[in-house]
Amino acid sequence: MRAIADIAWTQLTPAAKRDLAQLLAAAPDLATPACPVGSFEDGAIWADCVRSQYRDLYAQTATWHYVDVSICRTFQLPEDRDARYVVRRYQHELAVLSNHGAPPAVRLEALLWVEHLVGDLHQPLHIGDDDDRGGNEVQIRPQSGRYPLNLHAEWDRVLVDDTVRATPGGVAGLAAAAANHSGRARELSPTAWARESWDIAGRVAYGRALDANYCDHGHRSIDVGEDYRFAAIPIVQTQIERAGVRLAAVLNSVLR
């Protein structure tokens, strides 16, 4: 998430950065001192922090981070009138952020959600699902020992860390590459982002591209050896870059 924010920051307009600075000044009014927001980069992880540090206050946000769409059926988002899942919740929070008449603390909290949810929308296992809680119930082989691992955590953490390390210049290298993105990478529809991630989940994360019969039997463990990682890391890199580019484009359009 921090990498996405760093990439976005390099593409924000001066006007957007000024508006962000004014919003960030309202951080004490959030009353979440265990989850400080001293910078735009801090904001990218605030939503995860408050879910663990202020469980009672933010319990209702647990479902905001994902939407389960079966990888073995046609892509179809569920009806979500109450904005309980990531696509509609993102749209709701973006509307709040866009309201320049709202109190700064209200807009700031919306900003923090927009930052975070753009990242979630680009993580394939926050969208694609095989009746296993987005890969949380799928064990991986071999275990790296770095995290208590399942397939979801592999895509949430390990592959992201490995991608940043594998990119010349790290996050700065990702930001430089992201500056060259155009066209599809600047698509601003969260539904399109979700469909893109869902497709990656099926083809790559769950390995359907390697197993034409996957949906006939499914898996509760997946080999994430060299071939798997060779296929996954370039895709993770592209998703990080796209998320940064798209976040910047969205914020440039609503901040002034």
Side-chain angles (χ1 to χ4, degrees):
M1 290 296 180
R2 287 182 179 274
I4 292 168
D6 283 339
I7 291 168
W9 182 260
T10 68
Q11 299 194 21
L12 291 176
T13 64
K17 289 181 177 179
R18 285 194 297 271
D19 201 355
L20 282 174
Q22 293 174 351
L23 293 178
L24 289 169
D29 295 336
L30 295 174
T32 56
C35 301
V37 180
S39 67
F40 181 62
E41 183 186 49
D42 288 344
I45 60 171
W46 177 87
D48 278 342
C49 182
V50 294
R51 189 170 54 161
S52 63
Q53 295 296 320
Y54 301 94
R55 292 182 182 178
D56 292 341
L57 286 175
Y58 290 90
Q60 79 281 5
T61 72
T63 62
W64 294 6
H65 299 256
Y66 66 89
V67 58
D68 289 337
V69 182
S70 172
I71 62 164
C72 292
R73 291 193 287 273
T74 303
F75 179 83
Q76 181 66 55
L77 291 172
E79 186 173 329
D80 186 19
R81 294 179 180 175
D82 296 328
R84 295 182 60 235
Y85 300 108
V86 64
V87 174
R88 290 283 293 117
R89 176 49 52 176
Y90 163 81
Q91 293 171 322
H92 173 86
E93 298 298 335
L94 183 61
V96 174
L97 175 61
S98 302
N99 179 7
H100 289 259
V106 172
R107 291 187 67 221
L108 173 59
E109 183 162 344
L111 165 68
L112 304 183
W113 278 108
V114 167
E115 272 193 81
H116 189 85
L117 296 179
V118 168
D120 283 341
L121 279 160
H122 286 79
Q123 206 281 58
L125 292 176
H126 280 248
I127 310 297
D129 177 66
D130 189 30
D131 196 27
D132 54 19
R133 298 173 53 241
N136 274 291
E137 296 173 3
V138 178
Q139 298 305 304
I140 65 165
R141 311 180 305 270
Q143 292 281 343
S144 73
R146 279 185 285 166
Y147 304 103
L149 283 185
N150 53 52
L151 188 64
H152 189 100
E154 180 76 10
W155 281 78
D156 244 9
R157 302 178 181 181
V158 179
L159 288 173
V160 172
D161 290 348
D162 288 351
T163 297
V164 172
R165 277 194 292 269
T167 303
V171 173
L174 290 169
N180 297 318
H181 280 276
S182 61
R184 185 178 177 187
R186 298 185 183 278
E187 166 67 61
L188 297 186
S189 163
T191 299
W193 302 344
R195 182 166 192 143
E196 195 173 68
S197 292
W198 169 84
D199 179 63
I200 293 169
R203 286 188 301 105
V204 184
Y206 285 102
R208 283 181 58 191
L210 302 176
D211 183 353
N213 298 315
Y214 179 91
C215 288
D216 293 334
H217 52 76
H219 292 304
R220 282 298 177 264
S221 66
I222 287 181
D223 185 348
V224 294
E226 287 187 17
D227 289 346
Y228 185 99
R229 298 171 69 74
F230 181 80
I233 285 179
I235 290 171
V236 173
Q237 177 177 343
T238 297
Q239 287 299 95
I240 292 172
E241 292 170 2
R242 283 175 175 167
V245 169
R246 290 164 175 172
L247 175 60
V250 166
L251 296 181
N252 284 336
S253 72
V254 301
L255 299 178
R256 61 172 185 263

